[in-house]
Amino acid sequence: MPMLLLLLLTTLVHLNSSTPPPEPVTCRNDETFNCTVTNAYGSFPDSSICHAANVTYPSTEQELISAVAAASAAKRKVKVATRYSHSIPKLVCPGGTDGTIISTIRLNRTVQIDTEKQIMTVESGMVLADLLQVAHEAGLSLAVSPYWYGLTIGGLLASQVGLTKL
Ligand SMILES: Cc1cc2nc3c(=O)[nH]c(=O)nc-3n(C[C@H](O)[C@H](O)[C@H](O)COP(=O)(O)OP(=O)(O)OC[C@H]3O[C@@H](n4cnc5c(N)ncnc54)[C@H](O)[C@@H]3O)c2cc1C
Ligand SMILES: *[C@@H]1O[C@H](CO)[C@@H](O)[C@H](O)[C@H]1NC(C)=O
Ligand SMILES: *[C@@H]1O[C@H](CO)[C@@H](O)[C@H](O)[C@H]1NC(C)=O
Ligand SMILES: *[C@@H]1O[C@H](CO)[C@@H](O)[C@H](O)[C@H]1NC(C)=O
């Protein structure tokens, strides 16, 4: 019984911790090939995780273009993974085992802020929490926004049609 209680307590403590979900792409031996892809929940509705041949982490527009060009030349399917890949459906899966994942995790900088026109240009992997912070520092704020800080701007625009007028 004390053992069970301890177990329960550990579980509660675990549930209580506010550690963010792990990165959705992991590859064998911490390399960038032979990878699995999942979402923030650790599995898709059919209890599966997906596979991909390799992953790239571009941190500049030039690296992003090169990654797309290489995948296109190799005729590989490409999907985009974000910081947490929050979407429940298997949107991030390239299908089969020979697709390529491009992660936007390192594409998270502010490109330009025009306070006059109230327009911010940011890279698509920036998460909402960072966007709100940068906006705040520039004296701006969002008129509408979803509640979860871990969403990326690219993911939002790809899945939340109603917000594209931001
Ligand atoms: C439990 C739960 C509750 C939710 N509640 C709400 C809610 O209350 N309100 C709400 O509005 N939404 C809600 N959602 C939906 C959620 O907000 C969306 O799934 C979210 O917008 C995804 O953002 P993300 O950055 O994690 O993108 P991802 O899920 O990683 O990506 C979404 C899609 O966009 C593609 N993509 C991402 N970035 C790019 C890019 N730069 N270029 C091209 N393609 C790209 C991805 O490949 C994927 O196909 C909820 C979802 C869940 C699971
Ligand atoms: C990926 O790893 C699995 C074992 O985890 C192995 O069976 C498979 O052959 C590997 N695929 C490639 C393309 O290396
Ligand atoms: C991923 O695989 C494709 C096809 O083999 C290749 O062109 C590309 O360079 C690879 N990318 C990485 C980061 O290994
Ligand atoms: C970009 O992401 C990295 C890694 O998560 C983080 O350390 C950094 O603060 C982020 N940069 C910006 C400008 O948000």
Side-chain angles (χ1 to χ4, degrees):
M1 190 59 188
M3 198 58 192
L4 195 71
L5 199 68
L6 192 70
L7 207 71
L8 194 70
L9 271 178
T10 335
T11 319
L12 283 177
V13 168
H14 181 71
L15 285 177
N16 231 353
S17 76
S18 55
T19 356
E23 227 252 287
V25 185
T26 49
C27 305
R28 208 170 169 201
N29 301 333
D30 287 334
E31 297 275 3
T32 53
F33 47 88
N34 206 337
C35 310
T36 58
V37 195
T38 183
N39 54 12
Y41 315 94
S43 71
F44 294 106
D46 60 359
S47 302
S48 70
I49 56 170
C50 294
H51 294 267
N54 60 18
V55 59
T56 6
Y57 298 92
S59 60
T60 63
E61 190 173 355
Q62 194 50 52
E63 286 175 14
L64 173 62
I65 290 167
S66 301
V68 174
S72 169
K75 298 198 185 326
R76 299 225 160 197
K77 274 195 185 168
V78 180
K79 283 296 186 95
V80 178
T82 62
R83 181 68 186 82
Y84 301 114
S85 291
H86 201 239
S87 292
I88 293 176
K90 292 160 97 166
L91 299 172
V92 65
C93 299
T97 55
D98 56 0
T100 288
I101 297 286
I102 296 179
S103 168
T104 59
I105 203 163
R106 293 184 187 157
L107 289 167
N108 68 345
R109 284 176 294 257
T110 307
V111 177
Q112 202 188 342
I113 302 180
D114 186 333
T115 39
E116 193 94 331
K117 292 187 181 147
Q118 303 189 340
I119 294 176
M120 291 178 62
T121 310
V122 300
E123 292 174 341
S124 67
M126 180 180 274
V127 292
L128 198 56
D130 291 336
L131 178 78
L132 292 173
Q133 181 61 34
V134 175
H136 172 73
E137 285 162 9
L140 299 170
S141 65
L142 298 188
V144 282
S145 135
Y147 66 85
W148 198 56
Y149 273 10
L151 303 179
T152 63
I153 300 313
L156 278 175
L157 295 182
S159 63
Q160 313 255 331
V161 180
L163 281 174
T164 54
K165 282 188 187 147
L166 266 184

